[in-house]
Amino acid sequence: MLKIVVCVSGGGTNLQAIMDAIDSGKITNTQIIAVISNNPGVKALERAEKYGVPGICMSPKSYPDRAAFNEAFTQKMVELAPDLVVLAGFLVKIPEQMVAKFSGRIVNIHPALIPSFCGVGYYGLKVHEKALERGVKVTGATVHFVNEGMDEGPIIAQKPVMVEDGDTPEILQRRVMEQAEWIILPQAIDDVANGRLEIVDGHVRKKA
Ligand code: GAR
């Protein structure tokens, strides 16, 4: 059984997609052992409570500085000891010490086709604002392993989504969630849980 901790910052629709996929059997061999939010009072924590998993709030604002937060956050993750950390709309940079301790065991969902519209400053709605500003006709979502860089780890899965005339950032965000994020993130977790992924020469391959 793959024990996962899901990290969230806001609405938690990706968290919901994971919980629903576990309930419907689309994700197997997987148990959510905790949800961590960096923001208090968010809908994602309500979803965790309703689902019956512990919701933990760890805000960087409650610590004297970022180094202290990074240390406490990493320590909490070590205590929870998940097999996989899932960043499902988590808008805080993962501390280097956590990446080192959980190497190859952290996955992130990003709402664009990496390497487009990613890196510092590209998160949440901003990603879709930038995509519309640039006038792209296709965008999408990416699930990837997390390394020390920002949105730079090995790519697990991507799914394209068409941009349509008249899209606003909000409309595009919703379409990318519905047509890509809520599908490829649960699939990637199921692939990890069932040992279907391997990394060859720095690239993720699905085992035959
Ligand atoms: C999602 O679109 C997710 O891809 C994005 O934040 C949103 C969270 O929504 N993540 C990033 O931008 C990470 N760089 P949710 O809380 O409803 O799942």
Side-chain angles (χ1 to χ4, degrees):
M1 187 69 94
L2 188 86
K3 292 183 290 160
I4 65 173
V5 168
V6 184
C7 298
V8 294
S9 294
T13 64
N14 278 286
L15 167 65
Q16 190 66 53
I18 296 166
M19 298 188 302
D20 292 347
I22 290 174
D23 286 350
S24 70
K26 282 188 184 152
I27 297 178
T28 58
N29 297 324
T30 300
Q31 181 194 5
I32 303 174
I33 57 168
V35 170
I36 300 181
S37 171
N38 62 305
N39 286 320
V42 290
K43 180 98 191 267
L45 286 173
E46 277 174 37
R47 294 179 196 270
E49 194 185 345
K50 199 163 166 214
Y51 192 73
V53 294
I56 301 162
C57 182
M58 292 192 82
S59 168
K61 293 180 190 138
S62 312
Y63 295 85
D65 53 32
R66 187 48 77 121
F69 167 77
N70 284 347
E71 201 47 50
F73 183 35
T74 303
Q75 189 50 42
K76 174 55 77 181
M77 205 57 88
V78 168
E79 276 166 30
L80 290 166
D83 302 309
L84 185 72
V85 177
V86 178
L87 309 181
F90 189 60
L91 306 185
V92 172
K93 183 157 181 2
I94 296 301
E96 271 179 26
Q97 60 263 52
M98 192 186 295
V99 175
K101 285 205 163 75
F102 290 87
S103 173
R105 291 188 291 141
I106 309 177
V107 298
N108 178 49
I109 179 82
H110 184 75
L113 295 173
I114 289 174
S116 290
F117 307 110
C118 65
V120 178
Y122 287 85
Y123 57 88
L125 205 57
K126 285 185 197 296
V127 176
H128 306 292
E129 286 168 6
K130 298 281 184 198
L132 289 176
E133 259 172 46
R134 185 63 187 83
V136 294
K137 305 301 178 201
V138 182
T139 182
T142 303
V143 190
H144 63 94
F145 283 112
V146 172
N147 64 10
E148 315 70 41
M150 193 67 129
D151 301 328
E152 282 174 9
I155 291 171
I156 299 170
Q158 295 188 297
K159 196 164 187 293
V161 174
M162 298 308 288
V163 177
E164 292 177 13
D165 288 346
D167 271 353
T168 62
E170 290 80 6
I171 290 172
L172 184 57
Q173 178 181 53
R174 183 77 191 180
R175 188 178 312 116
V176 169
M177 285 174 161
E178 285 175 356
Q179 295 185 5
E181 296 185 44
W182 302 340
I183 299 166
I184 62 174
L185 182 58
Q187 266 172 4
I189 295 168
D190 188 56
D191 285 341
V192 173
N194 291 289
R196 287 188 213 107
L197 303 181
E198 59 186 348
I199 296 186
V200 180
D201 297 334
H203 293 165
V204 179
R205 299 264 180 269
K206 221 161 169 169
K207 289 183 193 167

